Amino acid sequence: MEYTMTDQLLGGGWHWIAAAILFGLIYLAGIMEKPGRAVVSAAAVGALLLLGILSIREAFIDAIIWETLLLVAGVLLLTGLLGRFGVFMHMAVRALSLAQGRSGRLLALLMLLSALLSALLDQLGTVLLLMPLAITAAQLLRISAFPYMVGILISSHIGGAATLVGSPANMLIGASAKLSFWEFVRHLGPPLLLALGVSMVSLLLVYRARLRVSPAVRAKLIKQTAAAAEQTTARGSWIGWGVLLAVIICLLLHGWLDIPAYAIVWSGAVALAVAGGVGTIKGAAVALDWKLLTYIAGLLIVVSALEKTGITHYLAGLALQMTEGHAVAATQLVLWTSGLVSASADQLPLVAGAIPIIEEMGMFLNSVNAPSWDGGWWALALGAGLGGSATLLGSSASIVAAGMVAKQGEPVSFLRYSLIGIPLALISLAISAAYLYFFYT
């Protein structure tokens, strides 16, 4: 297979222009993070069908990765049910209790908990759960909530990049490359654990002066969190914990069990729904974000139009010419490009658009390299996941968290967050670059 800059766009004429414009619109809708992005997604699909760029079969059967949609829906449903059983609140309150009123220890525990929760549920859910607790603790300790906000956001991006179910973008990568939950953990765990440790130490050093607390204030927080921990334990359900543990174990083994990840997640959700009764089932339906599912489906269809018109083929050829067909250089290009782009835009449309390009690049690189080129997938997951922590524009969760802190009288500007977010994101990407260079050459 040989790529040249003169490769023709397969669709010819105006088809590729229309496909590119529609992808641009749906990408902008994703960046804006408005509820109307589902409407834009559906409208883009309608335009593709009316213009004859895609047929109904190509759009709704060939383009959509139904396994990904089922997994995203299942994770949303399972997360909502676990929340109703009090599992996540129990974890958060326990973390506050373990901190024993020490602000530095609390920052470390919040970061660990944020990474763990983001690896199992969506980032926005993690932020909505942890930020109120962090803000309340900061008020009781009479310190700024900003260091806690930064720690939660950065670690949530790290944790979300670590597993198959950590983000819809990872679910797309997993479905496209046929990667299991365990493969994500095994390949991405080492650099992300190191990135989390470096970020944690860095924040503790940078904010050590702001995290000083008097003994009297610390004693007050210890008393209040101890009472909250007892109440949460009394309300907590061991059923929720049991189902969560079973789901995690099965996800780790699903590659060997030959059971789809979405089947495991849905089984856990059904078990909790049955255990919770009719009221729980009705409440769980609210957890399904139909607008997100519609947006993802539309995005996949538009990306399919990019493939059909030859745009992804052309971009893959351009990337291969830039790297001169070297696998190591191609891996680094994917990592840094996705990292820089995701710093100012949601990672989901980025990943959806990049997947067919990486598939094209892989076809060429696998034909000229003895070992198969799988570093591109890990580079995409690391770059898209870690780059989003650089600025407040990297995810809707970051904007929500900044708004919650601002409501408490502490404005969080784009510049203020970026001054700490960008350096830490670059360090995390550099760690990932070194890891990919030494282990995926």
Side-chain angles (χ1 to χ4, degrees):
M1 181 186 302
E2 183 178 356
Y3 284 87
T4 68
M5 287 293 288
T6 57
D7 280 342
Q8 298 297 312
L9 295 176
L10 302 182
W14 52 268
H15 280 190
W16 70 271
I17 299 177
I21 292 174
L22 290 173
F23 179 76
L25 291 174
I26 201 171
Y27 196 97
L28 287 174
I31 294 175
M32 295 171 65
E33 291 287 350
K34 298 294 183 182
R37 66 180 182 175
V39 176
V40 174
S41 178
V45 172
L48 288 173
L49 295 175
L50 289 174
L51 294 173
I53 298 175
L54 291 178
S55 66
I56 294 178
R57 177 181 178 81
E58 288 173 327
F60 296 103
I61 297 180
D62 299 334
I64 297 179
I65 307 174
W66 291 102
E67 179 181 343
T68 300
L69 290 182
L70 286 171
L71 182 56
V72 172
V75 169
L76 291 173
L77 186 59
L78 179 64
T79 299
L81 288 167
L82 287 171
R84 293 179 68 86
F85 274 85
V87 172
F88 300 132
M89 182 59 71
H90 185 201
M91 293 172 66
V93 173
R94 280 296 178 185
L96 290 175
S97 180
L98 288 173
Q100 290 294 298
R102 299 185 181 278
S103 55
R105 184 187 298 179
L106 177 58
L107 175 59
L109 287 171
L110 284 174
M111 290 185 70
L112 288 173
L113 186 56
S114 176
L116 176 62
L117 290 176
S118 294
L120 301 175
L121 62 129
D122 67 287
Q123 185 192 21
L124 182 58
T126 298
V127 168
L128 291 175
L129 172 67
L130 294 183
M131 278 307 302
L133 295 172
I135 291 172
T136 301
Q139 290 174 338
L140 293 173
L141 292 171
R142 298 177 185 177
I143 60 175
S144 169
F146 182 74
Y148 293 146
M149 185 202 82
V150 174
I152 289 172
L153 290 179
I154 289 177
S155 54
S156 67
H157 279 91
I158 293 174
T163 70
L164 173 66
V165 299
S167 68
N170 275 10
M171 296 179 205
L172 280 178
I173 294 173
S176 300
K178 307 301 180 186
L179 300 170
S180 68
F181 185 93
W182 169 245
E183 285 178 302
F184 268 88
V185 174
R186 180 168 65 90
H187 288 277
L188 301 184
L192 291 175
L193 281 175
L194 181 57
L196 179 62
V198 171
S199 298
M200 187 183 297
V201 172
S202 299
L203 290 178
L204 288 172
L205 291 175
V206 170
Y207 295 121
R208 60 186 183 279
R210 298 187 186 183
L211 294 175
R212 291 174 182 167
V213 179
S214 67
V217 172
R218 183 182 301 130
K220 181 179 179 181
L221 181 61
I222 292 175
K223 182 178 179 181
Q224 293 185 348
T225 53
E230 291 180 3
Q231 294 175 2
T232 305
T233 302
R235 293 194 302 266
S237 171
W238 289 108
I239 296 176
W241 281 103
V243 170
L244 176 60
L245 181 60
V247 168
I248 293 174
I249 292 174
C250 290
L251 283 173
L252 289 171
L253 299 176
H254 84 92
W256 290 286
L257 297 174
D258 197 25
I259 300 175
Y262 68 82
I264 295 172
V265 173
W266 273 95
S267 296
V270 170
L272 286 177
V274 172
V278 177
T280 302
I281 295 175
K282 291 181 178 179
V286 180
L288 286 176
D289 189 343
W290 296 105
K291 293 180 179 179
L292 173 62
L293 295 174
T294 301
Y295 177 71
I296 294 175
L299 184 60
L300 291 172
I301 294 173
V302 174
V303 169
S304 177
L306 297 182
E307 291 184 74
K308 183 178 179 181
T309 57
I311 293 177
T312 57
H313 178 79
Y314 177 82
L315 293 176
L318 182 62
L320 288 169
Q321 284 203 335
M322 291 175 61
T323 59
E324 298 182 347
H326 295 301
V328 175
T331 300
Q332 296 297 321
L333 178 65
V334 172
L335 173 70
W336 288 102
T337 301
S338 59
L340 293 175
V341 173
S342 64
S344 58
D346 183 74
Q347 60 175 301
L348 182 56
L350 165 68
V351 168
I355 283 175
I357 298 175
I358 292 179
E359 289 175 336
E360 289 266 4
M361 293 173 66
M363 290 174 62
F364 175 79
L365 292 171
N366 288 335
S367 67
V368 299
N369 291 281
S372 61
W373 184 64
D374 56 355
W377 297 115
W378 306 127
L380 179 60
L382 288 168
L386 296 175
S389 65
T391 72
L392 291 177
L393 298 177
S395 68
S396 58
S398 299
I399 297 175
V400 170
M404 295 173 74
V405 174
K407 286 183 178 180
Q408 305 304 317
E410 187 178 3
V412 179
S413 66
F414 177 86
L415 178 61
R416 183 186 182 190
Y417 177 84
S418 298
L419 287 175
I420 185 68
I422 290 176
L424 290 180
L426 290 175
I427 291 173
S428 296
L429 287 170
I431 291 173
S432 301
Y435 172 75
L436 292 170
Y437 178 80
F438 287 109
F439 293 97
Y440 296 91
T441 54

PDB file of all heavy atoms in Angstrom, residues 4-5 20 28 46 115 134 177 204:
ATOM      1  N   THR A   4       0.263   8.741  -1.252  1.00  0.00           N
ATOM      2  CA  THR A   4       0.876   9.941  -1.799  1.00  0.00           C
ATOM      3  C   THR A   4      -0.046  11.121  -1.554  1.00  0.00           C
ATOM      4  O   THR A   4      -1.239  10.966  -1.306  1.00  0.00           O
ATOM      5  CB  THR A   4       1.117   9.815  -3.321  1.00  0.00           C
ATOM      6  OG1 THR A   4      -0.148   9.788  -3.979  1.00  0.00           O
ATOM      7  CG2 THR A   4       1.899   8.556  -3.657  1.00  0.00           C
ATOM      8  N   MET A   5       0.535  12.299  -1.640  1.00  0.00           N
ATOM      9  CA  MET A   5      -0.257  13.509  -1.425  1.00  0.00           C
ATOM     10  C   MET A   5      -1.271  13.729  -2.538  1.00  0.00           C
ATOM     11  O   MET A   5      -2.182  14.538  -2.412  1.00  0.00           O
ATOM     12  CB  MET A   5       0.685  14.727  -1.338  1.00  0.00           C
ATOM     13  CG  MET A   5       1.478  14.795  -0.049  1.00  0.00           C
ATOM     14  SD  MET A   5       0.415  15.113   1.373  1.00  0.00           S
ATOM     15  CE  MET A   5      -0.001  16.825   1.075  1.00  0.00           C
ATOM     16  N   ALA A  20     -17.246  17.158   5.197  1.00  0.00           N
ATOM     17  CA  ALA A  20     -16.332  17.893   6.067  1.00  0.00           C
ATOM     18  C   ALA A  20     -17.060  18.999   6.822  1.00  0.00           C
ATOM     19  O   ALA A  20     -16.829  19.214   8.018  1.00  0.00           O
ATOM     20  CB  ALA A  20     -15.191  18.482   5.243  1.00  0.00           C
ATOM     21  N   LEU A  28     -18.200  21.294  16.496  1.00  0.00           N
ATOM     22  CA  LEU A  28     -18.440  22.534  17.228  1.00  0.00           C
ATOM     23  C   LEU A  28     -19.548  22.359  18.260  1.00  0.00           C
ATOM     24  O   LEU A  28     -19.478  22.909  19.359  1.00  0.00           O
ATOM     25  CB  LEU A  28     -18.806  23.655  16.252  1.00  0.00           C
ATOM     26  CG  LEU A  28     -17.671  24.210  15.396  1.00  0.00           C
ATOM     27  CD1 LEU A  28     -18.206  25.201  14.377  1.00  0.00           C
ATOM     28  CD2 LEU A  28     -16.613  24.862  16.269  1.00  0.00           C
ATOM     29  N   GLY A  46     -29.494  13.600   8.870  1.00  0.00           N
ATOM     30  CA  GLY A  46     -30.553  13.839   7.891  1.00  0.00           C
ATOM     31  C   GLY A  46     -30.012  14.461   6.614  1.00  0.00           C
ATOM     32  O   GLY A  46     -30.421  14.091   5.501  1.00  0.00           O
ATOM     33  N   ALA A 115      -9.818   9.585  40.625  1.00  0.00           N
ATOM     34  CA  ALA A 115      -9.269   8.710  39.581  1.00  0.00           C
ATOM     35  C   ALA A 115     -10.003   7.378  39.547  1.00  0.00           C
ATOM     36  O   ALA A 115     -10.322   6.856  38.474  1.00  0.00           O
ATOM     37  CB  ALA A 115      -7.777   8.492  39.817  1.00  0.00           C
ATOM     38  N   ALA A 134     -15.829  18.459  48.541  1.00  0.00           N
ATOM     39  CA  ALA A 134     -14.568  19.192  48.615  1.00  0.00           C
ATOM     40  C   ALA A 134     -14.801  20.645  49.024  1.00  0.00           C
ATOM     41  O   ALA A 134     -14.052  21.202  49.844  1.00  0.00           O
ATOM     42  CB  ALA A 134     -13.859  19.128  47.263  1.00  0.00           C
ATOM     43  N   ALA A 177     -10.971  -1.243  17.989  1.00  0.00           N
ATOM     44  CA  ALA A 177      -9.731  -2.021  17.982  1.00  0.00           C
ATOM     45  C   ALA A 177      -9.878  -3.380  18.647  1.00  0.00           C
ATOM     46  O   ALA A 177      -8.891  -4.112  18.751  1.00  0.00           O
ATOM     47  CB  ALA A 177      -8.623  -1.227  18.682  1.00  0.00           C
ATOM     48  N   LEU A 204       0.605  19.048  45.877  1.00  0.00           N
ATOM     49  CA  LEU A 204       0.892  19.178  47.312  1.00  0.00           C
ATOM     50  C   LEU A 204       2.025  20.169  47.557  1.00  0.00           C
ATOM     51  O   LEU A 204       2.009  20.903  48.552  1.00  0.00           O
ATOM     52  CB  LEU A 204       1.238  17.814  47.901  1.00  0.00           C
ATOM     53  CG  LEU A 204       0.074  16.824  48.044  1.00  0.00           C
ATOM     54  CD1 LEU A 204       0.577  15.446  48.448  1.00  0.00           C
ATOM     55  CD2 LEU A 204      -0.946  17.334  49.059  1.00  0.00           C
TER      56      LEU A 204
END
